Amino acid sequence: MTPTRHVFALLAAASLMAGSRAEAALNVVTTTSDLASIVAEVGGDKVSVQSLARGYQDPHFVEAKPSFVVRLNKAELLVVVGRDLEIGWLSALITQSRNPRIQPGADGYFDASLTAKILDMPEGQLTRAMGDVHPLGNPHYWLDPENGRRIAKALQAKLAQKDPANAAYYAQRTADFERRLGEAQQRWKSLMAPYKGLKVITYHRSWTNFADAFGIDVIGYVEPKPGIPPTPQHTLDVIQAMRAQQIKLILVEPYFDSKTPNSIAAQTGGKVVVLPPSVGGLPEAADYLKLFETDVNMLIAAIKSVGAK
Ligand SMILES: [Zn+2]
């Protein structure tokens, strides 16, 4: 073989490898269903994406399964919520996966919180003392559609970096997602506009970004602190606050025991609304846009049913 032929043979082999990269979908694993939905919006049929947690599970406390390690072992990109949301279950799985591509700090480890607007930033010393599971700010930030947009744009750049052959495709999908999201945001905001300033109680501190986006006011929580179960004294305080401020709605994530919220509702003439905070939390919340569609519609139906405003 002449040197020139040899170079051609190498180029042919390289282009075959590049071709197989372009044809096989990029293997993406996310920790949560919301991130999986946004990856699917941006990546289309050029990615295969699976979420470890289901949308009806508490994302702070996901039961690790052996199958998670297998999935992580094969992943080319791991997308996490970050802000310590997954601290209780993910890091051991990443280690066990023995996959150098997705270790924290590696090119295939993507922390979606880095471009998001984060609320509830703690003042002073960062600590998980007293069981507070939000030591690095509120990790439920995907519940602001504006953060969904920011995550999509950051993912577009990451997917284009991992798979440059399809960069234009990812850019076009992201633009289309942003357009649909923007139209839906206008509709959700106008639907919620009559209820601006509505005061509610929520079980966990999951709805801070949602409340910020849609103008409602969360004035208390069934949990004394994020991650700490209700106590009798704290429950009494919540009941008194609801009575004093004429608050009627208690928003509860699907994975919490409804005993305390039901008892609070019974003593205040209030109503418990089980609202999904994640894609798949209810069947109709089937993707990122439908999650907000579901939550806005359920919330408005609940407001009307109690005549809260
Ligand atoms: Zn939380």
Side-chain angles (χ1 to χ4, degrees), residues 149 173-185 289:
R149 180 193 308 275
R173 300 257 330 167
T174 304
D176 182 61
F177 173 65
E178 285 193 77
R179 182 185 54 75
R180 285 181 288 117
L181 182 67
E183 286 170 8
Q185 272 176 292
L289 292 180

Side-chain angles (χ1 to χ4, degrees), residues 114-138:
L114 295 181
T115 56
K117 177 184 175 187
I118 305 297
L119 303 175
D120 294 342
M121 285 303 286
E123 291 163 18
Q125 198 189 353
L126 299 181
T127 174
R128 287 171 70 86
M130 314 293 290
D132 188 329
V133 292
H134 294 174
L136 302 179
N138 195 302

